[in-house]
Amino acid sequence: MVTAVMPTYARKDVVFERGEGSYLFATDGRRYVDFTSGIAVNNLGHCHPQLVRTLQDQAAKLWHTSNLFRVGNGEKLAERLVANSFADTMFFCNSGAEAIEGGIKLIRKYQYVTGNPKRYKLICFQAAFHGRLLNALAATGNEKYLEGFGPPAAGYLHAPLNNTNVVRDMVDDETAGILVEPIQGEGGVREANASFLRDLRSICDEFGLLLFYDEIHTGFGRTGKLWSYEHSGVAPDVMAIAKGMGNGVPIGAFMATEKAAQGMVPGTHGSTYGGNPLVTAVANSVLDVMLAPGFFDGVRERAAYLRPKLDKLVKDHPSVLAEARGTGFLLGLRCHVPAGDMVLKLQELGMVVPIAGENVVRVFPPITTPVAVLDEGIAIIDAACRDFESATVKAKENA
Ligand SMILES: *Cc1c(COP(=O)(O)O)cnc(C)c1O
């Protein structure tokens, strides 16, 4: 019999009932080190006291009014995000995939209102992930995810990452823009080089295309800066954000320059919930924490502490781990053992991590994780590796 919750996920058999900072507590009484952060969502950890206070205060005041009226918390949030990014304007939605879809609409509309109605295609990248709605899915391009859902939405091409010539050759008179994750998450923590992003910027400028970043998992401090594009210094025209934005309350947005957003006039897009008083109160609180002087210095210091530890794990366990990847707290360990087995082993030992493509285990602690808890996590990964090694030795002895 089907489960009441539709079984579209192969879920791990654990139910968490409480979270505190970088720890999760399950109904089985066990405590887990959280190196998942709800897949780059709980960047400030669980139940951050400042966020809890904000949520409780706002919950007692006002939750939702619809977008028929001005939303004070949303206006404040947008002004702050605009002041702290390349963008001039933004639209609030409820998830990452919605942010992608909104950005796609904005790009097509821009081309339409600037006299290029034929331009609607986006150049995307192999192993990308942009979400599960029908256009976001076509932009993702993963055959397995697309199978059985009818013809994929038209207008999404896929180039290999970090290959400028292929992208340049794909541009034709129907191309509207380029959609790229500065660091692919699901794809296996694969980075777009700064020089490649510069090339994409110049291709866009040369051919009148818009550059669209998917910073849904790279944003909100995951890489040690508010936005990951700050590392390369190459700004986009359009950007989708979500995950870390509300630290767990569902909120996303697409942001754009005034020029790129010129077609988005009244009536062109909408969302009933998008940016309601409750979620934007929490997102403002997230920014209060992140924009406090010195916050990202601390994040980068702790990330700089963590990274060499991962490299050392790879060096110490060459038969189990192949490589450490990533930037800031957006890290991954490519495994020689099946990554799914590693995830299960880590869970057994008291740690939760997400998996990614290319046999990678993602290492996504909350960006606020204290050094002592990072050490605890490293010790668990070390123990898991030793378990795999001794299992191999035993198998050899038995052979
Ligand atoms: C998670 C993610 C999405 C989709 O976000 P949802 O909120 O699940 O719709 C899109 N792009 C990237 C890069 C993501 O990591």
Side-chain angles (χ1 to χ4, degrees):
M1 207 173 78
V2 70
T3 46
V5 174
M6 201 175 285
T8 61
Y9 279 92
R11 294 170 193 268
K12 301 283 177 293
D13 186 20
V14 61
V15 180
F16 299 112
E17 58 180 358
R18 194 164 65 79
E20 197 183 307
S22 304
Y23 292 116
L24 282 167
F25 299 84
T27 48
D28 62 7
R30 292 189 66 194
R31 188 186 78 171
Y32 293 81
V33 174
D34 182 6
F35 274 23
T36 297
S37 302
I39 320 184
V41 168
N42 307 104
N43 286 358
L44 300 178
H46 299 281
C47 296
H48 190 290
Q50 207 169 318
L51 303 189
V52 170
R53 224 166 20 245
T54 301
L55 182 65
Q56 287 174 335
D57 289 350
Q58 187 64 41
K61 269 201 284 196
L62 183 68
W63 296 17
H64 175 83
T65 53
S66 89
N67 285 310
L68 299 177
F69 311 100
R70 289 178 58 188
V71 177
N73 292 345
E75 289 178 9
K76 179 175 161 200
L77 177 62
E79 279 157 19
R80 297 172 81 191
L81 287 169
V82 158
N84 286 282
S85 73
F86 74 95
D88 302 311
T89 185
M90 59 195 303
F91 180 98
F92 294 119
C93 55
N94 316 286
S95 69
E98 278 177 82
I100 291 292
E101 301 258 338
I104 295 168
K105 283 180 71 177
L106 178 148
I107 290 171
R108 291 183 178 181
K109 197 68 156 188
Y110 165 82
Q111 297 294 1
Y112 180 84
V113 299
T114 56
N116 299 292
K118 268 175 60 186
R119 293 191 182 182
Y120 73 102
K121 289 183 184 165
L122 289 188
I123 297 172
C124 310
F125 294 91
Q126 292 164 4
F129 184 76
H130 300 297
R132 300 288 201 142
L133 299 179
L134 287 168
N135 274 270
L137 199 52
T140 296
N142 181 325
E143 307 250 325
K144 212 172 73 200
Y145 295 169
L146 282 161
E147 187 186 348
F149 296 115
Y156 301 93
L157 291 86
H158 292 85
L161 196 66
N162 294 324
N163 187 326
T164 301
N165 290 339
V166 174
V167 175
R168 187 172 272 280
D169 286 346
M170 274 184 179
V171 176
D172 64 19
D173 58 4
E174 292 180 334
T175 310
I178 300 176
L179 169 57
V180 64
E181 297 161 83
I183 306 175
Q184 291 186 338
E186 287 247 335
V189 189
R190 298 166 72 226
E191 294 187 52
N193 303 329
S195 65
F196 182 63
L197 295 175
R198 269 193 297 280
D199 289 346
L200 295 183
R201 180 72 270 172
S202 54
I203 291 172
C204 285
D205 295 343
E206 185 181 338
F207 294 101
L209 318 179
L210 295 183
L211 182 57
F212 184 7
Y213 284 168
D214 180 344
E215 286 237 25
I216 290 168
H217 78 289
T218 52
F220 290 93
R222 185 52 43 196
T223 67
K225 292 181 184 276
L226 185 59
W227 315 117
S228 77
Y229 78 77
E230 294 173 61
H231 294 283
S232 69
V234 182
D237 304 295
V238 188
M239 186 161 88
I241 57 175
K243 293 201 166 102
M245 189 173 182
N247 212 62
V249 300
I251 181 169
F254 55 98
M255 329 171 65
T257 61
E258 182 168 12
K259 179 174 175 231
Q262 63 187 276
M264 301 307 282
V265 298
T268 50
H269 200 51
S271 166
T272 299
Y273 290 133
N276 79 16
L278 190 72
V279 295
T280 49
V282 176
N284 268 307
S285 206
V286 167
L287 279 188
D288 291 341
V289 175
M290 290 192 181
L291 298 179
F295 176 79
F296 287 118
D297 295 330
V299 173
R300 286 192 294 271
E301 257 166 50
R302 288 187 297 278
Y305 174 84
L306 178 61
R307 181 54 200 266
K309 306 262 173 197
L310 294 185
D311 291 327
K312 180 160 188 307
L313 284 173
V314 173
K315 204 160 140 265
D316 289 349
H317 306 286
S319 68
V320 181
L321 300 176
E323 180 197 356
R325 297 177 166 182
T327 306
F329 281 102
L330 204 168
L331 298 166
L333 287 168
R334 190 161 65 82
C335 301
H336 287 308
V337 299
D341 293 355
M342 178 59 86
V343 169
L344 288 176
K345 173 70 72 187
L346 290 172
Q347 189 178 324
E348 212 178 284
L349 297 174
M351 169 187 247
V352 288
V353 294
I355 201 166
E358 298 194 340
N359 207 40
V360 167
V361 163
R362 282 187 265 188
V363 177
F364 282 13
I367 65 177
T368 48
T369 307
V371 161
V373 184
L374 294 176
D375 281 337
E376 205 179 324
I378 292 296
I380 293 174
I381 301 173
D382 189 51
C385 291
R386 277 186 275 113
D387 268 17
F388 280 111
E389 283 160 353
S390 56
T392 318
V393 170
K394 270 197 208 116
K396 275 195 187 135
E397 281 168 2
N398 292 340

